[in-house]
């Protein structure tokens, strides 16, 4: 996540907007295999895509994850991945968007670090929460977005986990909790942090937040940033 990529801070004229692909409810293993296959076969003409998906319950481990952070999986499957980060949970009621992008496409001149890519994803999440009158903030050294105030201040509402290959192509992405059974988060140390509280948008007060609407809004916010429209 610290490797500099030879890109620019804004796309050149004529840059293509990422395509949206709606994959519905899909087992994590199927999405993971498809992401790698898509990235393996990319060419300079392959479009960037945002995959919107909802997963059945699953725990996923990052490359350097400590399996001891899975305290009691309660029969939820555990999948080893090649993304960054520790253990996280995906399940019904959570927006998951995978970013299959070429960070070198349509850019020249300046340099964009991986951290700026992460920053833009986090900005999209913060803007999505703000549309529901919810305040989200970052934490230094802990990628993701957290509740900024109220009784759930400091609880994690969105997680990030990315793979950026040496050629600048990315996969994996971001998850935003909308209306979930939060109990499975208590059966792990989320993102490797013991005692870290995890929350969803409805618990924070967005009682009418619907998964499909939040999926659309977050995708729009991501496209705005990565197509130079924000």
């Amino acid at each position: 996540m610290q490797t500099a990529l030879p890109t620019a801070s804004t796309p050149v004229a004529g840059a293509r907007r990422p395509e949206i692909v709606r994959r519905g409810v899909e087992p994590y293993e199927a999405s993971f295999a498809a992401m790698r296959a898509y990235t393996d076969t990319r060419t300079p003409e392959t479009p960037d895509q945002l995959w919107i998906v909802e997963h059945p319950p699953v725990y996923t481990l990052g490359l350097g994850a400590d399996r001891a952070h899975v305290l009691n999986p309660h029969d939820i499957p555990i999948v080893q991945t090649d993304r960054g980060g520790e253990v996280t949970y995906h399940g019904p009621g959570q927006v998951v968007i995978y970013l299959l992008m070429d960070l070198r496409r349509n850019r020249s001149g300046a340099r964009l670090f991986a951290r700026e890519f992460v920053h833009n994803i986090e900005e999209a999440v913060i803007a999505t929460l703000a549309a529901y009158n919810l305040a989200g903030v970052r934490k230094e050294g802990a990628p993701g977005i957290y509740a900024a105030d109220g009784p759930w201040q400091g609880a994690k509402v969105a997680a990030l986990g990315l793979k950026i290959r040496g050629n600048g192509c990315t996969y994996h992405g971001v998850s935003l909790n909308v209306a979930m059974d939060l109990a499975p988060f208590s059966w792990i140390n989320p993102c490797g942090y013991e005692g870290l509280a995890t929350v969803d948008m409805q618990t924070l007060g967005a009682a009418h937040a619907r998964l499909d609407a939040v999926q659309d809004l977050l995708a729009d916010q991501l496209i705005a940033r990565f197509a130079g429209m924000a």
Side-chain angles (χ1 to χ4, degrees), residues 19-196:
E19 299 175 347
I20 293 179
V21 177
R22 302 179 188 279
R23 298 180 67 92
V25 178
E26 181 173 69
Y28 180 84
E29 294 93 330
S31 297
F32 183 30
M35 284 189 288
R36 288 181 295 173
Y38 189 88
T39 306
D40 287 343
T41 58
R42 288 194 72 133
T43 72
E45 288 71 43
T46 301
D48 292 335
Q49 293 186 341
L50 303 183
W51 290 5
I52 302 175
V53 64
E54 183 183 14
H55 292 308
V58 64
Y59 292 121
T60 69
L61 302 173
L63 272 176
D66 182 350
R67 199 179 180 93
H69 288 305
V70 181
L71 307 176
N72 186 343
H74 288 77
D75 297 322
I76 294 174
I78 303 169
V79 178
Q80 179 66 58
T81 80
D82 59 356
R83 61 166 172 80
E86 276 281 351
V87 61
T88 195
Y89 170 71
H90 298 305
Q94 181 187 65
V95 173
V96 177
I97 299 184
Y98 294 125
L99 296 98
L100 291 93
M101 300 184 64
D102 179 353
L103 297 187
R104 294 175 174 172
R105 167 172 286 155
N106 298 318
R107 297 168 175 88
S108 62
R111 295 169 69 86
L112 175 66
F113 283 81
R115 71 185 66 178
E116 296 180 50
F117 182 56
V118 171
H119 180 87
N120 278 321
I121 297 171
E122 291 175 335
E123 282 294 301
V125 173
I126 290 170
T128 299
L129 293 172
Y132 288 87
N133 296 313
L134 303 177
V137 295
R138 299 176 178 82
K139 283 187 179 180
E140 184 67 28
I145 297 300
Y146 302 80
D149 50 30
W152 286 93
Q153 183 176 5
K156 193 165 193 172
V157 68
L160 279 76
L162 298 165
K163 175 70 173 181
I164 303 179
R165 291 188 176 175
N167 63 358
C169 292
T170 76
Y171 55 105
H172 296 293
V174 59
S175 60
L176 173 58
N177 306 332
V178 179
M180 303 183 69
D181 175 5
L182 296 171
F185 286 107
S186 69
W187 303 335
I188 60 174
N189 291 328
C191 304
Y193 293 97
E194 183 177 357
L196 175 64

